[in-house]
Structure formats: C-alpha cells, structure tokens
Amino acid sequence: MNEKIKKLFSISPLKITSFIIFVALAFYIGNVSFLQFMELKALDLRMKSRGKLKSGGETVIAVVDEKSLKEIGRWPWPRTTVAKLVDTLKSCGAKAVGFDIVFAEPDQNSSLKTIKSLTHEAKERGIKDRGLYGLLAKERMAADTDAALAHSIKKAGNVTVGYFFHLSRADVGHLSEKQKEISKESIAGSRYQMVQADANLHEDMLIRAYAAEANLPEISAAAQVSGYFNAYPDEDGVIRWTPLITKMGDDYYHSLAIGMLLQYFDWPTLTVKLGEGVESIKLDTIEIPTDESGRMLINYLGPAKTFPHYSISDILNKRLSPELFKDKIVLVGVTATGVYDLRVTPFSTVYPGVEIHANVIDNILHRNFLKHALWTKVLDLLSIICFGLVMGIAVPRFRAVQGIVLCLGLLIVFVVVNTFIFGHYNIWLNLIYPTLTMMTIYLGITIYRYVTEEKEKKKIRGAFQYYLTASVINEMLKDPSKLKLGGDKKNLSVLFSDIRGFTTVSEKLTPEELVHLLNEYLTAMTDIVFKYDGLLDKYMGDAIMAVYGAPLDQPDHPLRACRTALDMIEALKKLQGKWSAEGRPVLNIGVGINTGEMVVGNMGSQMRFDYTVMGDSVNLGSRLEGINKEYGTNIVISEFTYEAVKDTLLCRELDSVRVKGKKLPVKIYELVGVRDEAPKWEQFLAHFNDGLAKYKGMQWDEAVAAFRKALEIRPGDPPTEMYVDRCLELKGHPPQGTWDGVFTMTRK
C-alpha cells in the first residue's frame, strides 16, 4: 500500500507534462493579462511580417497636411473653405465623403457677430435706409460660414459627418439635460434602424456612452448620415479593434465607417442582432464579424499611406484629376504636424487616425476580415494540448542535445504554420500559449532529469571523492568510458613548484609546527591552482604538480599556468611577511613550467589508478623547477611555453641549457610579470640582453661590462651576477673547440 501511495505522488515526465498543460489551459481560459499582452504583440509582429497588402482602391483620403496649411492658412479653416471642399469633391464625382472632424463650435473665422452688431446699431439709431438694411442682410448671409457649410453638405447629399461620444459620467457632468437632448437629436443620423433583440438580452458587454460631442445642429441636420469616430486602444495603447455599435440611452449608434458605407451602397439594409451581447452585424449581404461588445478586429493593410493621401490644397486648386475621386469613398482628416490625429497601431506609433477608418471600410467592402471567433479558441485549446503532449512524450526519449533540437524544431514548425495560416487565411490563432507550454514542458522535464541524474552522480562522487580530484570525477560522470586504463596524447602545460631548503627548515620545527606551516602554504598555493582551473595532479611532500588543458580543454593553458605561477609568488610574499612577523621560518619556492605533447589519462592497475600526465615534456617541467637554484630565480619556463605567452607576459631569456637526461638544448626564460610592467624593466633588460649576446659571442669583457651596467639598475640580480662570474671564469679558462653557448646541467 505504501509503495502505491509513494508511486502515486512520485514525479514523472508525464505528470509534469499533464500539470503544465492543465495550468496553461486554466491561464488561457482565465485570460491572464500579461500573457494576453504578449499575444497581442505577437499578433502585431505577424501583421508586420505579412507585409503590405493592396487596398481595393475604393477609398482615398483628403488630408489637412503641411502643404495645405502653408497655402490655405492655419487650422481650423473658415467653414467656407470646408464648404468649398465639399462642393469640389461632389463635382469630381465622389460617391461618399466622410469627415473625421467634428464641427462642434461656431466658426471662429465668421464675421457674423459683427454684422449682427451693425444691424442692431442701425435700428437703435433709427436709420430707415432700406438699401443699408438690404446690404447688411446680404452681408449677414455671406458671413454665416457655418450656414455655408451646412448648405454645401445638404446640396452634396453624400456627406457623413463625424462626432465622438463621452464615455464617462464625469465627462458630461457640466452638460445640462437640454444640451444632452440637443446632442442626441444631432446624431440621429447614426442610429441603427433595425435592431433584433432576443428575449434573454444581455447588454452588459456593450460599449455605453453618456453624451455626444456632436456637430452644430444646422450642420448635423444638413447631413443625411453621421457616425462616431471614437478610438478604443488596448491596454498597451495600440488600436486593434474598432467598435461598430455603441449604446446611449435606449438607442444604438454606428460608427463613421458604417455611415460612409451606407451612403456608398445607396442605403442598404443595416441590421444588428443582440443576444449574449452582439451576435451579428449585417450590412446588406455582408456579415461583419465582431466580438460580444460589437468590436471588429481591424485587418491593417500596411503602414501609413497604404491608402492614397491627397492634399486638400491640391484638391481646392484643381491640381488633381477628378478621376481620382470619381465614385470613390473620400475620408477627410488632419495629418499635419502639430494638429496631427496621432494613433498607435501594429505598424507604427505614429499613424493617421483617419487612415484607421479607411482600413475598416476596405475590410468590410472586400470581406477581408481577421477571423478570431469561438472556433479559433477551440483550436487554440487543442494546440496547447496536442503540442504539449508531443513535447512531453518525445523529450524524455532523447538525449539532451537531441531534446534541444526536437524542442526548437517543434517550436519552429508551430510558429511557421501559425504565421502561414495568419498570412494566407486571415485566421488569428494563439501563438504564445502553445509556445510557452512547449517551452515550459521542455524546461520542466529537463530540470526533472537533471535532479534525478544528479542523485546518481552524487552516489558516484561519494564512491570516488577520496581517490580522484573533483574535476576528474566530473569528467568521469560526463563520460564513464574514461574510467578505462590508458590515455591520449595532448598538448598540455605542466607546472612544478618546490620549497627551497625544506629539509633545513623542517629540522628547526616540531612536527606540529611543520605540519601547520606546510598546510598553510599548500592551501594558499592550491587555491591559486584552482583559481585558473588547473588540475592538481599530486602533492609530492612539499612539492606541487599541476596540469593545465586536461581533463577540460583549455586553449590558453600556457597562459593559465604562467598566471598561476605569478600569483603563487605574490601570495608567497604575503605569507613571508606574515611568517616573519610571527617569528616563523620564511619559505621560498621555485616554479618550473613546460608546454608540450604529453600522455594524459588514467595510469595504474586494474584495482587502483590515477588520472595524471606522463612523458618527456613532463620531465622537462620538473627539471625547470630545479634550474631556479642555478640562476637564483623563482619562475623558469621553457621556450615552448614562452612562444605561447610572450605577447601577454614579460619574460627574459636566461640561457640555453641541456638538462640532465636530454641531449637537445632548450632555451629557458624567467617569467618576470605582465606586459604592463615592461617600462620599469626596459632599460635593465636592454643591458642584460646585450650582455647575453656578447656572452654567446665569447666577448667576455664586453659581456661583463654590459652585465655590470644592468647591475647598476638592479643591484644584486642573481642571474646577472651569475653571468659576471661565469664570464670571468670562461675568460680565464676559454672553452675548447667549437662552443655553442649551451650550458649543460649536471644535476636535477
């Protein structure tokens, strides 16, 4: 029974997959705002990646642009100018004209008030001149620019005037009931005439308005139809939807785009069906898809100016062919800088508001709708489940790299198919939820596998931690086949360090003091080896052997070894100061580094083996450590290591030597420091290198002179003093026969 309970509550890849799918479905149904925000952005990207679509050509835009302002004057213009525009468009044969502008206030350019004042003054003064009265009456008619615009609109018979709603009670608090009633009468031309409502009507989702900012009554009365142009951005400020129905009081009103289409189609039947919100809006035979609130998803055709823009000054001055407007829907709006009706759309953060209406009109005319309905949501849920299950079943059956390839491949396939369906069929399927579901399942299963495999690795570490170093154990865990005996030949760097005169020091200390001193020293040096990811091969009494470039590949292994040596000397100096203050013996060390081909791997017997390096290059590194005693140096590196680090670190050539056990000579160098320290060594090294060149040329006196100049700069330098003594000795006992300048070491 306990086993069954334990199995029930155990974690497995299938349970992880099921849980993540369940959470994803819950989030999708709950419409989590952050994820919805991500999906909206993904929709924008798909729309932009689809590119620019061609409009049907029925809709054009007459714009108040910079050119128009320059030629006609600052905005707003006299209503007579707008009236002239209406007349001109009518004469060009425009089928429908719509204003994305509201004329809510009397024209400020009108001189009507002045004429009225003069007429009143004439009456007060008792002037009976009928000619004067007639002239004033005529002037009064000409001065009433609002009446002039109303006259042109009525005469044209094809104008839709725009207005906007106040959607908050706070915005209409200053309005009287009479003002609200007047505004309601002014927008009567935008009421839905045919509204079908179910018995179980639910209108909570409808957009509600509390008053309208309408055109002047005489302008509204002159127009056959009107429509609101309110914009409703999403939470991120982007306009993706347009409301086609708004309720105010007991009536339902349509938008500017719908009003213009009514005129364009010569007053077709317009029907709205209400039930659980808006169920359908039908314009003649065109059924317009909306959500429950009556919002249509805008299928933007492209960036700004996808629809033709024509400057109003060019229209009024008849610079354009009338054919451009014949039988067209003409939207009138403002795009000039400073008075620009700016909107944020998927294509741009600076988009003409008037062009949004053009997109809506074109979408309806050509039934070019984005499809996002209940059936698409069902497909979204199926995508979450199916792709999630495929990921959850497949990933555990593959290795890590194969799992990543599978995950990326499945994600790419899903995104490509989703984008293809959007671009070719205008179907908006959710991209974010299935994608995040797949990624989360992959991540969850990967973490699960890592945790379970880590438990197994801990068992292996527990068994081998007393026999192998941590880095070797990790290599074994990655590839158990490395537990076999034998090795591989690789180019590596090996470092040897040893304490000078340790036997003498140990004789002066008690065993406890010696162990404490040695442990303090070895801890500091070992930490530095690990700092540069070196392999601590072994301790040999007071000596340390470290390898770089194995078991992990390190292309810069010579540099790592050299930096380890430099840090060892710096750490030793601090320890020397501490030991001196404590009255304890002060230790000094020598370090030797060589780079070359070595055999690396597990060496030993079937019962017990060690991960180490072997070969002539290893032996040379050990000899170089001992050479420090001959030259009084701390760090000696081979010419092979020098070639790898010479551009980064500062070295000086010490000699060409033939070490014990090798016939071929090797150039050796002292590792001095980093390249940044070159200036303070420059003059000294110039004299030293000059002396070394003279020494190799058997010019003993000149060599001694050069070395002594070097000693004036750095008195007591051990290698320089050694060369002075060697030159004087060779001067007294010159080498016999051919001399190659190589010094042969007779001891290790």
Side-chain angles (χ1 to χ4, degrees), residues 438-705:
M438 287 187 279
M439 292 174 64
T440 308
I441 288 172
Y442 172 79
L443 183 63
I445 293 175
T446 302
I447 292 173
Y448 166 76
R449 291 172 66 175
Y450 174 80
V451 171
T452 53
E453 289 172 8
E454 193 64 25
K455 289 180 181 178
E456 296 301 317
K457 289 179 180 180
K458 283 182 179 179
K459 293 179 182 178
I460 298 174
R461 285 194 185 98
F464 284 93
Q465 63 180 335
Y466 299 108
Y467 307 101
L468 299 173
T469 60
S471 59
V472 177
I473 293 174
N474 289 334
E475 278 301 298
M476 300 303 108
L477 293 172
K478 290 178 185 176
D479 187 2
S481 65
K482 291 187 177 181
L483 287 168
K484 72 182 189 317
L485 289 178
D488 302 310
K489 184 175 279 190
K490 294 182 67 176
N491 185 274
L492 307 172
S493 293
V494 63
L495 176 149
F496 287 89
S497 73
D498 193 20
I499 298 175
R500 296 284 166 262
F502 183 69
T503 303
T504 303
V505 172
S506 63
E507 291 173 352
K508 299 177 183 179
L509 300 173
T510 65
E512 291 79 7
E513 291 173 333
L514 180 63
V515 170
H516 178 70
L517 181 68
L518 190 58
N519 285 345
E520 187 175 13
Y521 161 76
L522 290 175
T523 298
M525 299 301 113
T526 303
D527 288 345
I528 295 170
V529 172
F530 290 153
K531 173 183 175 183
Y532 292 99
D533 296 325
L535 167 64
L536 182 65
D537 190 288
K538 60 178 68 73
Y539 297 119
M540 298 167 288
D542 59 308
I544 296 174
M545 176 181 173
V547 180
Y548 296 83
L552 305 176
D553 288 330
Q554 297 166 328
D556 61 341
H557 55 83
L559 183 60
R560 289 172 180 266
C562 290
R563 290 197 181 278
T564 299
L566 290 172
D567 283 10
M568 280 181 165
I569 299 304
E570 287 300 316
L572 181 64
K573 289 177 181 178
K574 294 179 182 178
L575 288 173
Q576 287 172 338
K578 179 177 179 292
W579 293 331
S580 179
E582 294 172 352
R584 292 196 284 172
V586 175
L587 305 180
N588 195 15
I589 66 171
V591 181
I593 300 173
N594 183 39
T595 300
E597 293 288 333
M598 306 171 195
V599 176
V600 58
N602 295 301
M603 314 296 176
S605 68
Q606 293 288 349
M607 297 298 295
R608 180 71 180 267
F609 51 82
D610 189 19
Y611 188 87
T612 187
V613 291
M614 298 179 67
D616 285 344
S617 294
V618 180
N619 296 333
L620 178 57
S622 177
R623 299 289 186 271
L624 295 180
E625 178 273 314
I627 282 179
N628 283 288
K629 301 172 187 176
E630 300 292 333
Y631 295 89
T633 53
N634 286 110
I635 308 172
V636 173
I637 65 174
S638 69
E639 60 183 283
F640 313 112
T641 304
Y642 169 76
E643 287 300 322
V645 302
K646 63 183 180 180
D647 295 330
T648 306
L649 302 178
L650 182 63
C651 307
R652 68 162 158 172
E653 184 182 344
L654 281 180
D655 207 348
S656 294
V657 300
R658 189 176 290 109
V659 300
K660 189 172 178 62
K662 289 185 71 72
K663 294 181 179 180
L664 296 176
V666 178
K667 271 189 181 181
I668 61 172
Y669 295 80
E670 179 190 11
L671 180 57
V672 176
V674 295
R675 272 285 167 191
D676 293 344
E677 299 174 0
K680 70 178 183 180
W681 285 84
E682 185 176 2
Q683 194 175 2
F684 167 77
L685 289 178
H687 291 304
F688 182 86
N689 292 335
D690 182 40
L692 189 61
K694 298 291 194 302
Y695 163 78
K696 291 179 180 179
M698 300 176 66
Q699 297 173 276
W700 314 120
D701 291 332
E702 291 85 347
V704 169

Side-chain angles (χ1 to χ4, degrees), residues 409-424 431:
L410 201 57
L411 285 171
I412 290 170
V413 168
F414 174 74
V415 171
V416 169
V417 171
N418 187 293
T419 305
F420 178 83
I421 291 173
F422 178 84
H424 289 76
L431 181 68

Side-chain angles (χ1 to χ4, degrees), residues 78-122:
R79 300 282 159 80
T80 50
T81 303
V82 181
K84 184 180 178 183
L85 173 65
V86 173
D87 296 339
T88 304
L89 290 174
K90 179 64 177 179
S91 67
C92 290
K95 187 68 180 293
V97 178
F99 281 91
D100 186 31
I101 302 166
V102 60
F103 304 105
E105 300 290 337
D107 187 3
Q108 297 300 313
N109 298 286
S110 174
S111 57
L112 181 60
K113 290 182 179 179
T114 304
I115 300 301
K116 285 182 177 179
S117 176
L118 288 173
T119 305
H120 179 72
E121 183 181 349

Side-chain angles (χ1 to χ4, degrees), residues 27 131 146 180 248 289 383 409 513 648 693 737:
F27 280 10
D146 293 323
K180 292 179 184 179
M248 188 177 77
S383 296
E513 291 173 333
T648 306

